Amino acid sequence: MRITRTAGGRRRRAAVLATTGLTATALLLAGCSSGSSDSGKSSDANGKITLTVADYGQFGYKEAGLFAQYHKLHPNITVKEDVTADEKVYYPKLLQELNSGSGLSDVQGIEVGRIKEVVDTKADKFADLSKVINVSDYVSWKEKQATTSGGQVIGAGTDIGPMPLCYNTDLFKKAGLPTDRDKVAQKVAGGWIDYLALGEEYKKNAPAGTYFMDSASAMFNAVVSSNTQQYYDSSGKPIYKTSSSVKDGWKLASQAASEGLSHGLAQFDPPTWPPALRKNSVATVVCPAWMAGQISTNAGPANKGHWDITTAPGSSSANWGGSFLGVPKSGKHVAEASALVKWLTSPAQQAAVFKAIGAFPSNKNAYILPEVKNAKLPYFNNAPIGKIYAQEAGTIPAAVLGPKDADIKDAFSTQISNMEQRQTSSSKAWNDAINNIDKTVG
């Protein structure tokens, strides 16, 4: 996952995959900005052109060697990547460039938490990719997120973050719980209420100093994201105050916080989260595809084989993360940039990125390729992640997105953390979250 993230998703990923007899070790990387490129100076007298791709965090193209491969296929085209480490820095800059019409790269990354706002307010700035890519190649809900009411497709899907459950088998065994992934799946088959019930079982015999989950806000995000209607309704009206998925998620998060099932950690926070994983003080983590790399990196080599992965609670999974590649109309090489986007988001290339950094493909035709279909994670007891992630991806509902989804998630997450860390009451935390969101949404 990209190590930068709005609350809605991207923290970029690192993973160790075993695929078709091969082991690919992906390093956890955070890109640094190389400065903005001027597409107006991207061709020479010999007809050779340079295409710039602006993105954030870690999309995995460099790690998979895709830009070098594209140059071999198209010797007249050189691709340069302009990476901003933090998406929260990248996105305001993108909006500024879209408004001014200058400074844009030939290809621009767009985070899933931003895509609705871009579709609603900036679609006229992007080329229509509906005739370039085959939208039916992607999981059904992915390209809908980047499609206007008039049918214009402003971005091609890169990765997605289907969310199964990672669990520490050593801690489960010590607490008297099953460790087999199928048996764990059965224990939570009824949904997130079953998940908390399992947490109560864990708590009865939990090893001292350990907790059932790392973060109640992560669980809240999973509960909300596994529903079609989240923070907005289909008409675009904000419903975060009345949404049943938000209320259900809040109730469960409040219970987890008040009953001590959650460690109350801020995920990815360097002083707290990595040490908790390394010291085996967390039994479960809601686990989008890119999270496995985070766990293996932070828990360390000593805990290899002490973790496993099973399917998410309930009948429908959730999505956390994912991005799109769009082509600004103002570019000098729109046709060539569109062709590059099509190639980068095709099955073979998405499979290569998955093998390199663990970013799970949104192009479902990649799921039958050996690099995906046969993928296993040795760190997680050789969990068949290619099959698990593909299965979860097929149960993710087509969510109604809104322009301020990322900001709303941030506000709720902050207040859930206050319940966990400051013992703020559920009612006060809820009111504080709503007041902050009201100011943001307007």
Side-chain angles (χ1 to χ4, degrees), residues 262-278:
S262 170
H263 202 330
L265 302 175
Q267 284 188 322
F268 321 113
D269 179 48
T272 59
W273 196 71
L277 293 174
R278 190 167 57 251

Side-chain angles (χ1 to χ4, degrees), residues 19-94:
T19 59
T20 322
L22 299 177
T23 299
T25 301
L27 300 177
L28 186 63
L29 300 176
C32 25
S33 177
S34 60
S36 183
S37 298
D38 183 353
S39 60
K41 298 179 181 178
S42 58
S43 60
D44 62 21
N46 296 318
K48 294 186 177 182
I49 66 173
T50 297
L51 296 177
T52 55
V53 177
D55 54 37
Y56 42 89
Q58 185 189 25
F59 273 59
Y61 300 136
K62 180 180 178 181
E63 293 74 21
L66 294 185
F67 293 145
Q69 184 180 346
Y70 198 76
H71 181 63
K72 288 182 179 180
L73 295 172
H74 306 274
N76 64 315
I77 298 177
T78 298
V79 182
K80 293 185 177 180
E81 190 175 22
D82 178 7
V83 182
T84 301
D86 191 343
E87 194 274 345
K88 290 183 178 179
V89 174
Y90 170 89
Y91 185 64
K93 181 172 178 283
L94 172 60

Side-chain angles (χ1 to χ4, degrees), residues 168-187:
N168 187 304
T169 54
D170 280 4
L171 293 181
F172 267 45
K173 183 176 181 180
K174 291 176 181 178
L177 299 180
T179 59
D180 176 80
R181 65 179 67 100
D182 291 333
K183 291 182 179 178
V184 174
Q186 291 173 7
K187 296 284 285 185

